[in-house]
Amino acid sequence: MAATRVMASAGNAVSAPQSLDLCFRNGRLLTQNKRLFFVHDFGKKLMLSVVHSFPCAHRSRRFTTAVRAESTNGSEPSAHYDFDLFTIGAGSGGVRASRFAANFGAKVAVCELPFATISSDSAGGVGGTCVLRGCVPKKLLVYASKFSHEFEESGGFGWSYEAEPKHDWSTLIANKNAELQRLVGIYKNILKNSGVMLLEGRGKIVDPHTVDVNGKLYSAKNILIAVGGRPFIPDIPGSEYAIDSDAALDLPSKPKKIAIVGGGYIAVEFAGIFNGLKSDVHVFIRQKKLLRGFDEEVRDFLGEQMSLRGIDIHSEETPQAIVKSSDGLLSVKTNKGTVDGFTHVMFATGRKPNTKNLGLEAAGVNLSKNGAIEVDEFSRTSVPSIWAVGDVTDRINLTPVALMEGGALAKTLFANEPTKPDHSAVPCAVFSQPPIGQVGLTEDQAVKEYGDIDIYTSNFRPLKATLSGLPDRVFMKLIVCAKTNKVIGLHMCGEESAEIVQGFAVAVKAGLTKADFDATIGIHPTAAEEFVTMRTPTRKIRSAPSEILMPKLLLVFDSSLCNEKLLHQRIYMYGQSTPGQLSDLSRCPSPDSYAYAVDEREVAKAAVKNVFLLFTFLHRCDFSLLCKQVKFDFGAKLDKVFELILKLYSVGLCNVSS
Amino acid sequence: MARKMLIDGELDKANEAESHYDFDLFVIGAGSGGVRASRFSAQNGAKVAICELPFHPISSEVIGGVGGTCVIRGCVPKKILVYGASFGPELEDARNYGWDVNEKIDFNWKKLLQKKTEEINRLNGIYKRLLSGAGVKLFEGEGRVIGPNEVEVIQLDGTKISYSAKHILIATGSRAQRLPIPGQELGITSDEALSLEELPKHAVILGGGYIAVEFASIWRGMGAKVDLFYRKDLPLRGFDDEMREVVAKNLEGRGIKLHPSTNLKELSKTEGGVKVLTDHGEEIVADVVLFATGRTPNSKRLNLEAVGVELDKAGAIKVNQYSQTNMPSIWAIGDVTNRMNLTPVALMEGTCFANTVFGGKPMAPDYSNIACAVFCIPPLSVVGLSEQEAVEKAKGDILIFTSTFNPMKNTISGRQEKTMMKLVVDAETDKVLGASMCGPDAAEIMQGIAIALKCGATKAQFESTVGIHPSAAEEFVTMRSATRRVSAGTAKPRTNL
């Protein structure tokens, strides 16, 4: 066919006497598994063809090493090694891997630095970050700080206090430390009871099968590095006055006024903690919003709720220096000015893998640019006998993920069951106030990966807040793949989000659909029931008009004749339709899509005199977006448009090729 | 609107044929089920009317209110009081976290009551607007069924107006009942308990169901002395026995005096309040005696027998799987049918009704794996089968996974109360048949688990889900080894406790 071939794609609008203009939304087409090409024949023949393209791999493929039998069969005698497994680091991942390995019959040793609440090159402690300097102490402080909000709430429920409850920092810290000591004891016992030998001291790799602890050498068939990460403070003038999250969890006194630098989860959690304990809290973030990487709407919502609770968020304000004044107070100099009077400045500016001085480079273990150990899907490093799990590999830095990686590794090495940890649909929580829970993709990720998605949101005032009178709200969001109906993302910000999301995470992980959610009956009255009672999508996102390929019913708006209201009455049906399609038609369009259509019409009107908007309607096809995507500018009469449309479809339908 | 135009084309024809009816649907009762059914029917193009009794917190034959039991006398006000009561124990918990709350603390019941009433009035208004927004005509008055297609509304002034309707839906709900013992009039039901003038100093509660344990927790949390009497060994018959034990232990741990296997014989008035005589010969004087002894369907004054609608022994309207009574034009949903008396179930029945009758999509409500919660403090929430039910129904072995743990918050508060979770798993198919939890946030936690169960999730799928740390809920995905295996047929389920 001698045709002029025109590919319509993003930023490449076609103009021709009779032109088709396909507006793809900024590059989303790239992640579609179908691409549309219009083959335009000026001899008045139109052909529509589809080119199937493979979805782009959105994650870089990791090099997969086949797990070799000789290094995996831990039950084989390994007499020439002191241990089957030597683990460096007794945090969540290390303890889990060691215990499970021992349970599978391996001879295991683990070494850990001496206990201290603040970590360093020479201090750590059994239990690791989670127990000593992370999840646990953080959550305990969150509990403590939440009470002040409850005191406020209780007023609306008839409770009153002669004097406002006061908080004593030292009681809290003493009780917290007692609890941590108890947990360290429990962890040590767990190791002991599973037959793992615990060595205190700094482990260093001497060669692929040898570890040095305090000058003593131990040989091992496999070495596991699970040394975790540590907070990182950027080097700015006065950074020596700043504290990190380790120190913030164990301060001798409560900050009166604290600057928290950073917008990540640690920053927002500590902002909530100190705000709840009645410190004056200022958060400095480089970006416009908190929590980069989280769903945009959740970020907006949390920022609003935190501000309402009295936290001062300085967005796009980066500290450049800290100055100590004569009264001992700290000033923070930023790109926008100076904020004075801080008793404390805390940096929550990220964490770095603890890979220095471990002998890794000498042993030939590859590190990434940020110092994380590079591993394959089985957590194996570039040295076959050396493995790594947890934060030191900087995959998903969460305790339960380290547990999963540790458990999988033990199975791989000592149970003859090569197991890859599955990093998909890992739920997580931010214990901000209010907290966040999430599982699966954010909206942006979902659009990139799936293109066509439906978004369901709910932003409501919970029953408790209607009585308490506080401005607390709850935000919930479901992201559904339009094609498969699967729930691919679930987000919540509001009281008990972390607890609520866990069960939903099981559902998301199991690949359940929105229909499955809808079929589940609510538990009344709860906040969580909202997730199973979201009936109408808030919006639908369609990236490319690939669905045009299967028209069931064509509708043409004669936009020159109508105002907004008339528009609704001026839908002409064209082509064949069945009653079933009619009922679909009655169900699908939302008032929003009409509004959308009107806007589009206005735009088009300005451009040309006689504009027709073509709407293709089919199951799960969104009016509004199609209307945005497909514009016909023919400068022609109605019947000519019809003729052309018909041609387009008749040819298109029988010429689907790859 | 175009879409309207297109559907109306179909409906218009239908309407022509049936134009001799005033309405396509007349609903008696504007509670959860009735409101849902009428709104959805209207959205499907039906002409709908609904009638409801005048509003008041305490229901009677002639008092009700738009919103029904859930909004006015059930879920909502109950949950508000539970919130109010939870602050009491919270204050105790705060101390070890460094909060000095030893100063005088006051709880003002009247203030809470007033705020609760404000909230309920607000919700009542919202429901009314929902109806008018959906184009449903609301009549205030008592509805009665006169014929298969005729309803009579007795208005507030006593005048009667009758309307014809192609379909009649009865959604009149149920009401709390007292026990027929001497002096029963001295006791109150949950209706009054939600609107008491004064907070009781000493309350006696009779009943072992969810209403009984919820009020026990509410009053105890607000500082009252509470005696709870029930006929069985444990409260909450029908729930998992092990969870019942946990609830009983928690109630006791929070200072509620339990009187298992005890009935009340007689109430009498004394100077100090109401004297209660038990069948063990014990005497207690309390200022409030609450009968939480079940609810009866509101079917008496509807003239149903005269029209020929069948009722069961308990007075519930008999319906088929589509909520249709033996009279084809008369339907019934919600508590008045006494199937599963929960708000979300009434909503589901209402939706199914609207789809069946006016949506052209016959739809039977599905009662499997419906989660529910008991808002005692701490709450209990369950979905699917209890261990006893599973063992009874099982063809093969059942695996029981349990986890009993001290919630992290208690490690510092010092509260001696364990959280318990349980999964009941079919050993052969690995399917999770039942889940239950008793502990803080149980109701919120169970909702997501319910989806998994509804869709037949396996234990392996639970395990493949990564935990959210640190939460209580993560325990549901990290129970690795079974606590016990119960062989089918070998175990005698404990019943009748």
Side-chain angles (χ1 to χ4, degrees), chain A residues 156 228 346 555 648 656:
Chain A
M346 173 185 168
L555 302 167
L648 184 69
V656 175

Side-chain angles (χ1 to χ4, degrees), chain A residues 100 139 144 150 155 157-160 162 166-168 175 427 467 496 499 502 523-525 527-528 535 568 585, chain B residues 2 6 40 70 79 84 90 96-100 104 106-108 111 115 441 444 447 466 468 470 472-473 480:
Chain A
F100 279 31
K139 184 93 191 264
E150 289 181 61
F157 288 86
W159 295 85
S160 58
E162 205 173 59
K166 285 210 168 52
H167 188 256
D168 178 46
N175 287 344
L467 272 275
E496 312 313 340
E499 299 288 356
Q502 183 71 72
I523 300 178
H524 190 68
R535 277 186 285 122
H568 302 150
L585 175 65
Chain B
L6 292 167
F40 280 32
C70 170
K79 186 89 190 268
E90 277 299 300
N96 279 338
Y97 277 97
W99 289 97
D100 180 11
K104 207 179 146 230
D106 180 53
F107 172 66
N108 184 338
K111 182 176 174 193
K115 300 211 40 165
D441 305 318
E444 300 286 358
Q447 185 70 74
V466 175
I468 294 180
R480 276 181 290 115

Side-chain angles (χ1 to χ4, degrees), chain B residues 245-259:
Chain B
E245 286 171 22
V246 175
V247 171
K249 202 173 165 202
N250 290 348
L251 293 176
E252 223 165 13
R254 295 208 178 216
I256 294 160
K257 180 123 173 48
L258 303 182
H259 304 263

Side-chain angles (χ1 to χ4, degrees), chain A residues 91-107:
Chain A
S92 304
V95 169
R96 172 61 61 97
S98 305
R99 276 174 60 204
F100 279 31
N103 285 344
F104 292 135
K107 193 176 172 199

Side-chain angles (χ1 to χ4, degrees), chain B residues 306-365:
Chain B
V307 182
V309 173
E310 279 178 23
L311 305 180
D312 71 9
K313 274 183 198 161
I317 299 177
K318 284 189 186 171
V319 289
N320 68 13
Q321 56 171 334
Y322 294 106
S323 302
Q324 190 172 31
T325 70
N326 60 314
M327 310 280 292
S329 62
I330 302 181
W331 309 70
I333 56 167
D335 289 8
V336 76
T337 60
N338 197 27
R339 285 176 281 183
M340 197 180 276
N341 299 336
L342 295 169
T343 294
V345 172
L347 297 176
M348 165 176 71
E349 291 167 354
T351 306
C352 290
F353 164 83
N355 281 330
T356 302
V357 179
F358 298 104
K361 271 183 240 149
M363 208 183 253

Side-chain angles (χ1 to χ4, degrees), chain A residues 97-205:
Chain A
S98 305
R99 276 174 60 204
F100 279 31
N103 285 344
F104 292 135
K107 193 176 172 199
V108 186
V110 63
C111 71
E112 175 59 63
L113 298 168
F115 170 85
T117 51
I118 295 173
S119 64
S120 71
D121 246 19
S122 57
V126 174
T129 305
C130 170
V131 174
L132 304 175
R133 286 171 294 275
C135 321
V136 175
K138 172 264 302 279
K139 184 93 191 264
L140 291 174
L141 296 198
V142 168
Y143 279 128
S145 60
K146 267 171 68 180
F147 284 110
S148 65
H149 190 67
E150 289 181 61
F151 300 144
E152 277 181 55
E153 284 175 320
S154 69
F157 288 86
W159 295 85
S160 58
Y161 311 89
E162 205 173 59
E164 204 181 315
K166 285 210 168 52
H167 188 256
D168 178 46
W169 178 260
S170 55
T171 306
L172 171 63
I173 295 303
N175 287 344
K176 179 213 73 172
N177 285 339
E179 173 60 11
L180 296 193
Q181 291 293 352
R182 191 182 72 88
L183 291 173
V184 170
I186 288 176
Y187 265 75
K188 284 187 175 169
N189 275 333
I190 286 177
L191 286 172
K192 203 170 135 194
N193 293 340
S194 49
V196 175
M197 180 188 276
L198 174 64
L199 304 164
E200 196 171 78
R202 192 162 206 292
K204 204 173 162 180
I205 292 170

Side-chain angles (χ1 to χ4, degrees), chain A residues 304-354:
Chain A
E304 203 178 285
Q305 287 285 309
M306 282 176 57
S307 301
L308 283 169
R309 291 194 186 193
I311 294 167
D312 209 333
I313 299 171
H314 302 254
S315 53
E316 295 181 303
E317 192 164 355
T318 315
Q320 289 161 342
I322 302 166
V323 179
K324 194 167 197 166
S325 55
S326 52
D327 55 4
L329 294 176
L330 302 169
S331 301
V332 175
K333 289 204 155 96
T334 73
N335 54 327
K336 288 185 175 173
T338 303
V339 189
D340 302 313
F342 292 108
T343 55
H344 296 76
V345 176
M346 173 185 168
F347 273 77
T349 39
R351 297 174 63 86
K352 289 237 161 115
N354 285 330

